[in-house]
Every structure is written in C-alpha cells, then in structure tokens.
C-alpha cells in the first residue's frame, strides 16, 4: 500500500470542548503520523473556499457560519492508505450513524457539528493540504 497524505480539521465544536488532545491521541494511536499542525481562526472567504464544492447545498450557509464560530486545528496526516484510513477513523458524517470507536461516534454532536473533517480522495487531499499549508510547514 502506498504512503499517502491527507488533510484533517478538528472542527470548532471539538476545539471548544477541549477535545484537541483526545482526537490527536486517536489519530496517533491509529498509526497516522502528524506531518504538519496548527490552530487557526478561519475567515469567511477561507471557509467558503474550502467548502466551495458544497455551495449549492441547503446547509452551506450554516456550515460556513459554524466553521467560523471558533478556532480549528488543521493538520496534514501521513501513513499507509492515509485517506481511507482517516475516513474510517472519523466514522460516518452523521455521528448517529458512526461506528463505535470512531471520532465522530465518540465526540460528534450532530450531522453538522461532527468534530472532524478528512479529505475524501487523493486529489482533494492534495488541494486541501495546499490550501492550508505551505511546503515549508510540512516539517514532520
Ligand atoms: N453537513 C451538514 N449537513 C448535512 C451534511 C453535511 O451540516 O446534511 C456538514 C458536516 O459538517 C460535514 C460537512 O458538511 O462534515 C461536509 O459534508 P460531506 O458530505 O463532505 O461530509 P464529510 O466528508 O465531512 O463526511
Ligand atoms: Mg466531505
């Protein structure tokens, strides 16, 4: 299996509830390596650009407001099959449907406030990492 990179966000609901450490521990325990990491406050343009693929969806406005509601922790994670690996570790988009042992089952509040983001494919992973990190920040 190939070594891949993926992009992760610990979303505002989780940062606000002091879950940064718990979620990073689940990430590390699962075997993924942190390649880059920082806490940021997104502005509207940044959040709208990040979720541009969803801009026609009915939840877009609320989703952007939510992502602006507080700081987030963005990271680049690396490992074998990292993209699918991290999607599995996060669990289903709706925490109510997420398997036990996943981040969203453990910490997600509802389908919007679901504690984490992970890239859904190689192309998005590459674009999302580059949207938040310069090459010289990928130091891990
Ligand atoms: N979302 C929402 N309502 C929905 C579906 C999604 O608020 O009905 C939010 C949720 O925070 C989700 C994000 O929009 O994580 C992106 O949706 P996507 O379908 O890409 O889910 P993901 O890839 O995050 O599992
Ligand atoms: Mg998605």
């Amino acid at each position: 299996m190939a070594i891949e990179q993926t992009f992760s966000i610990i979303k505002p609901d989780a940062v606000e509830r002091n879950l940064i450490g718990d979620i990073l521990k689940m990430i590390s325990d699962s075997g993924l390596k942190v390649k880059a990491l920082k806490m940021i406050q997104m502005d509207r343009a940044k959040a709208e650009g990040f979720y541009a693929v969803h801009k026609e969806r009915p939840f877009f406005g609320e989703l952007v407001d939510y992502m602006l509601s507080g700081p987030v922790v963005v990271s680049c994670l690396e490992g074998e099959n990292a993209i699918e690996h991290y999607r599995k570790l996060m669990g289903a988009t709706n925490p109510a449907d997420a398997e036990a042992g996943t981040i969203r089952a453990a910490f997600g509040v509802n389908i919007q406030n679901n504690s984490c983001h992970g890239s859904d494919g190689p192309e998005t992973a590459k674009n999302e990492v580059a949207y938040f990190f310069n090459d010289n920040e990928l130091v891990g």
Side-chain angles (χ1 to χ4, degrees):
M1 256 185 283
I3 297 290
E4 288 177 336
Q5 291 184 353
T6 192
F7 174 72
S8 160
I9 304 178
I10 301 176
K11 292 181 175 180
D13 71 271
V15 173
E16 207 263 328
R17 286 177 292 142
N18 251 335
L19 295 169
I20 297 171
D22 298 73
I23 292 174
L24 288 176
K25 176 154 171 56
M26 288 177 77
I27 288 171
S28 300
D29 286 350
S30 82
L32 289 168
K33 184 180 169 205
V34 178
K35 189 89 184 140
L37 178 78
K38 61 189 173 187
M39 179 150 65
I40 60 167
Q41 171 65 54
M42 279 198 243
D43 62 21
R44 188 164 294 278
K46 192 80 179 174
E48 285 181 351
F50 179 69
Y51 278 127
V53 64
H54 293 307
K55 69 174 180 296
E56 305 305 333
R57 309 274 288 274
F59 58 81
F60 178 72
E62 280 184 28
L63 174 60
V64 168
D65 286 345
Y66 157 62
M67 293 303 284
L68 295 177
S69 67
V72 298
V73 172
V74 293
S75 61
C76 172
L77 308 175
E78 190 173 83
E80 274 185 18
N81 212 15
I83 297 167
E84 199 188 320
H85 173 131
Y86 187 51
R87 294 287 306 186
K88 282 211 172 106
L89 178 64
M90 290 197 304
T93 305
N94 188 344
D97 301 328
E99 273 182 55
T102 62
I103 295 170
R104 284 165 167 172
F107 302 124
V109 177
N110 56 45
I111 194 167
Q112 175 185 265
N113 298 24
N114 57 6
S115 296
C116 52
H117 166 87
S119 308
D120 61 8
E123 204 52 39
T124 40
K126 193 165 173 283
N127 292 338
E128 289 174 357
V129 169
Y131 191 69
F132 286 94
F133 292 103
N134 297 318
D135 282 349
N136 66 5
E137 293 177 297
L138 301 170
V139 291

